[in-house]
Amino acid sequence: MQKRALKVLEYDKVIEQLSQHVSSSLGREKATNLMPSSSYEDVMRWQLETDEAAKVLRLKGQFPLGGITDIRPHIKRASIGGMLSPNELLHIAGTVYASRQIKQFVEEMVDAEIDIPIIEEYADQLNPPSQLEQNINHCIDEYGGVMDGASDKLRSIRQQLRTAESRIREKLESMVRSSQATKMLSDAIITIRNDRYVLPVKQEYRSAYGGIVHDQSSSGATLFIEPQVIVDLNNTLQEARVREKQEIERILIELSEQVAEHVDVLRENVLLLTEFDFMFAKAAYAKKIKATKPKINNYGHIKVFKARHPLLEPKEVVPNDIEIGGEEFSTIVITGPNTGGKTVTLKTAGLFTLMAQAGLQIPAEDGSEMTVFDNVYADIGDEQSIEQSLSTFSSHMVNIVDILKQASSDSLVLFDELGAGTDPQEGAALAISILDEVHNRGARVIATTHYPELKAYGYNRDGVINASVEFDIESLRPTYRLLIGVPGRSNAFEISRRLGLGDHVINRAKGLIDTDTNTVENMIAALEDNRRKAEEELQEAETIRKQAEELHRELQQQIIELNENRNKLLEKAEKKAKNAVEEAQAEAESIIKELKRMRSHAQIKEHELIDARKRLESAAPTLSKKIPKSPSPAQQKRTLTAGDEVKVLSFNQKGHLIEKVNDREWQVQMGIMKMKVKEKDMEFISSPTPVETKPLAAVKGKQYHVSLELDLRGERYEDALLKVEKYIDDALLAGYPRVSIIHGKGTGALRKGVREYLEQHRSVKGIRYGEAGEGGTGVTIVEFK
């Protein structure tokens, strides 16, 4: 990439922000050296890496990167036989621990069927030497000290050290506590000089303790003396310290040799941990700037939605849609007032390209698309006033000449204030010629300009389109919105009028402008009016669409609530009915037991029998009866016959007429129940459909009736299954909702065969054993669909 382009597009500032999200110096080094790639395959893989890392952060909230350290110098020194310090060994152990944690974390995500193939590939390559980590942690504590348990010899030496120190302190403390100590010692304390225990003795009493003088105070009044009685003990202590140091060095050398044995593995792990740190730094940065993964193409098309420059304050930036390189145009010429946002738009397009080609996500909405260029060229200057000097123009022209030497059909070229800094006519002519040159090469070009001659440029060239940054005449402020397809107006006359300049002066100025310029300005004004009207109509249509969607959601919610309420009412009614039947069954069972008890006695008193009969009658469940509807005249005149389907109004249930009991009552079959019902409590529904007479029907006869029960007791297994098959077909033809099959308990073979057949039948909704009053496990109740 062109170094000037990287600088003027402020790519280095993006890298600086990215570096704030790394977890180690390894990741910082890789982030700092990140450069955009012109390889389509590299860019695609980098984007997938960042997207996978962003996916992990989105699902898990974090990734275990703690403990990673740049241990490359340590393992290099260990490989050549050097002795590593305790802290260096701790860094190695910490890095091995980080490798192990990452590997385990990724394996758990893969086991949870989270699709992260690139991260999984990196994690599979991690090979943390766990035994080395354990050995280091066994010998060195978290503060960098070698622990007693590192070896038996070290433990013994340190025990000797503690014993020697204890004996020295005991002797010195007895001296400090003696009656003479207050007079001879400057302070009643024990201190250390030259790694030996001493006492602070006054100058005049130096001979009282003998021994060795190790130091004196600045005034010379106090001498730090090692009393003669502890010289031998101090010597013993020093010898123990020397042995301790030698043992520690031996342990560190041994651990360093173990590190040397794993140099290749550790070096490979460091490279993989660097990739992980860098990958998740990119994902964390994307999360901070609310970026998304762009689609990457290799045919020069850029299309981003709601693009926001990542270096601007999120609350201040105005999102813009930017498109270039499609089938319609490959060059955009942006016009508009100063400080209107032209340069920001230019930089946003260029910086997004660099970020995307570096594997970074872009702060734009989902669905945005970026392409891969072989190079990005930019001529962007900060000075934009008409007072630019010749030297400034010359420097820009030198850069443009360099761009024209290298730009190709696979390049993105950005010109800011093209041709500015010289005579307007010459500058405009140069700008047009330069644009023609890079446009004809097939490069993607975005240029900003003030020259009015370029406002009509897009109308005279295929593949070129005008654009502008919107300016609010009412507030005299730019809105920073990019309008593709509409060239910018100068707005000088409107701004002057708003600021109070007289109309006669403005009209005279308009008269001095040539006809072509007026025509272009009027055309631009018409375009702006049409665009504004189109936006208003679009906004109105969008409002209507949202209202329709809201109404649709409300209706859906109402339907859902209605269905839920209906289901709740049905469940409540079914539960109430079930409880009533269960209570009635329990009461009936109690009455039956009572009757059996009475029968066992020789004599039954009349009043006891009457009382039991009343209890049996009251055990029937009482259901709330609705007021029956008055039958229609047609129904009143209808003559009911056996087999008719009727509705029993008091129970709100359908049934079939079996036979007439008397002039006012019929025996009605409702499900598995038969009961007498008064004719006025029934409502006719339909008569049975006449069936074409067949030989089988003739054999059965007119009075043939399908029972609600099938008794299989005593039947052979094969014959019983044939009977069940035929009985199920007859029951379905009769329209029964449920039937009972009595198979008895016995060995259970017949019961098992019957239930297996019923479970496979396509018309059976469900089966269950009978209740206590229905025969228990000796009966199977069958419900049809």
Side-chain angles (χ1 to χ4, degrees), residues 354-586:
L354 298 177
M355 291 175 67
Q357 292 185 213
L360 300 175
Q361 296 185 352
I362 58 174
E365 289 190 351
D366 284 328
S368 297
E369 192 168 353
M370 298 297 298
T371 190
V372 178
F373 293 108
D374 64 353
N375 220 321
V376 176
Y377 301 99
D379 179 61
I380 301 175
D382 294 330
E383 295 181 1
Q384 300 178 18
S385 70
I386 60 174
E387 298 176 354
Q388 288 176 332
S389 64
L390 179 62
S391 60
T392 301
F393 172 78
S394 299
S395 65
H396 281 286
M397 193 52 60
V398 168
N399 188 38
I400 291 172
V401 169
D402 184 56
I403 291 173
L404 293 179
K405 287 179 181 178
Q406 304 179 58
S408 68
S409 59
D410 293 326
S411 301
L412 173 65
V413 182
L414 307 172
F415 293 123
D416 187 33
E417 299 300 341
L418 183 59
T422 186
D423 178 78
Q425 288 187 338
E426 293 180 355
L430 273 173
I432 292 172
S433 180
I434 292 168
L435 285 176
D436 282 340
E437 177 67 21
V438 289
H439 174 68
N440 292 335
R441 293 186 190 181
R444 302 315 188 253
V445 185
I446 304 178
T448 67
T449 183
H450 274 108
Y451 292 131
E453 290 83 355
L454 290 175
K455 293 180 180 179
Y457 182 78
Y459 297 101
N460 302 324
R461 305 290 193 283
D462 292 333
V464 181
I465 193 168
N466 285 311
S468 61
V469 284
E470 190 178 49
F471 191 87
D472 188 352
I473 300 299
E474 298 298 323
S475 64
L476 301 181
R477 290 179 179 274
T479 64
Y480 303 104
R481 289 182 59 206
L482 179 67
L483 307 175
I484 293 181
V486 181
R489 299 172 61 192
S490 64
N491 297 312
F493 296 148
E494 286 78 3
I495 294 173
S496 300
R497 180 177 288 109
R498 294 283 298 175
L499 294 176
L501 189 62
D503 288 344
H504 66 285
V505 178
I506 294 172
N507 292 334
R508 188 182 305 121
K510 287 182 177 179
L512 298 175
I513 297 178
D514 58 51
T515 305
D516 290 341
T517 303
N518 275 324
T519 302
V520 171
E521 290 295 324
N522 292 335
M523 177 187 67
I524 294 172
L527 284 172
E528 288 187 347
D529 290 340
N530 291 335
R531 177 191 57 78
R532 193 175 294 107
K533 289 178 182 178
E535 287 184 349
E536 290 175 356
E537 291 175 357
L538 178 63
Q539 184 66 32
E540 184 178 355
E542 184 68 16
T543 302
I544 294 172
R545 183 186 65 79
K546 289 181 179 179
Q547 291 175 349
E549 287 181 350
E550 184 64 27
L551 180 61
H552 179 66
R553 281 195 296 269
E554 290 179 0
L555 290 174
Q556 281 186 324
Q557 186 63 31
Q558 290 177 4
I559 292 171
I560 292 171
E561 290 176 356
L562 180 63
N563 289 333
E564 288 178 350
N565 291 335
R566 183 191 64 184
N567 293 336
K568 288 178 181 178
L569 290 174
L570 289 174
E571 289 177 2
K572 185 176 180 180
E574 288 178 358
K575 186 176 181 181
K576 185 176 180 181
K578 182 179 179 182
N579 292 337
V581 171
E582 289 176 351
E583 290 176 0
Q585 288 176 343

Side-chain angles (χ1 to χ4, degrees), residues 253 257 606:
I253 290 173
E257 290 173 350
E606 184 66 22

Side-chain angles (χ1 to χ4, degrees), residues 5-20:
L6 295 175
K7 180 179 180 181
V8 298
L9 293 175
E10 300 176 289
Y11 177 76
D12 57 327
K13 293 183 179 179
V14 170
I15 295 301
E16 184 180 344
Q17 290 184 349
L18 172 64
S19 300
Q20 296 174 4

Side-chain angles (χ1 to χ4, degrees), residues 147-356:
M147 294 187 288
D148 295 356
S151 71
D152 293 339
K153 184 176 181 181
L154 183 62
R155 181 183 289 107
S156 174
I157 291 171
R158 286 187 172 166
Q159 183 61 41
Q160 293 174 16
L161 279 171
R162 286 189 283 271
T163 301
E165 287 179 343
S166 177
R167 293 179 60 190
I168 290 171
R169 284 189 171 276
E170 285 178 4
K171 286 190 173 294
L172 291 178
E173 284 175 359
S174 65
M175 292 180 183
V176 169
R177 290 195 300 267
S178 67
S179 58
Q180 302 295 321
T182 306
K183 179 176 67 173
M184 293 186 291
L185 297 180
S186 299
D187 200 355
I189 61 171
I190 301 170
T191 185
I192 297 175
R193 289 293 186 276
N194 300 326
D195 291 332
R196 299 176 77 90
Y197 288 95
V198 296
L199 292 175
V201 181
K202 294 178 181 179
Q203 173 71 31
E204 57 269 27
Y205 297 106
R206 61 176 300 175
S207 59
Y209 291 94
I212 304 168
V213 178
H214 287 277
D215 198 3
Q216 68 177 6
S217 64
S218 57
S219 63
T222 301
L223 300 177
F224 295 94
I225 298 175
E226 178 185 358
Q228 186 64 42
V229 294
I230 66 164
V231 170
D232 291 340
L233 290 176
N234 264 331
N235 290 338
T236 303
L237 182 62
Q238 287 299 103
E239 291 173 2
R241 285 174 176 167
V242 170
R243 293 198 305 274
E244 178 193 31
K245 183 179 179 181
Q246 292 172 346
E247 179 63 12
I248 288 174
E249 288 181 354
R250 187 195 67 78
I251 292 169
L252 295 179
I253 290 173
E254 183 179 328
L255 291 175
S256 300
E257 290 173 350
Q258 293 180 26
V259 172
E261 294 173 2
H262 298 87
V263 165
D264 293 336
V265 171
L266 291 171
R267 188 178 289 116
E268 182 65 22
N269 284 350
V270 167
L271 295 177
L272 292 169
L273 292 175
T274 302
E275 292 297 331
F276 278 119
D277 191 4
F278 175 61
M279 192 186 309
F280 280 91
K282 292 190 293 182
Y285 179 55
K287 183 178 180 181
K288 179 184 177 183
I289 63 175
K290 298 180 180 178
T292 60
K293 174 183 174 293
K295 299 177 183 177
I296 303 296
N297 65 69
N298 57 357
Y299 45 82
H301 185 208
I302 294 176
K303 187 174 185 179
V304 291
F305 304 103
K306 305 297 182 186
R308 307 177 307 277
H309 196 288
L311 301 180
L312 296 178
E313 285 294 329
K315 295 180 180 179
E316 298 177 1
V317 67
V318 176
N320 272 310
D321 296 343
I322 303 173
E323 181 177 8
I324 188 173
E327 296 180 359
E328 297 182 3
F329 55 89
S330 60
T331 297
I332 300 177
V333 179
I334 306 175
T335 55
N338 287 329
T339 69
K342 301 192 303 298
T343 303
V344 171
T345 302
L346 200 71
K347 287 186 174 182
T348 301
L351 187 56
F352 272 28
T353 299
L354 298 177
M355 291 175 67

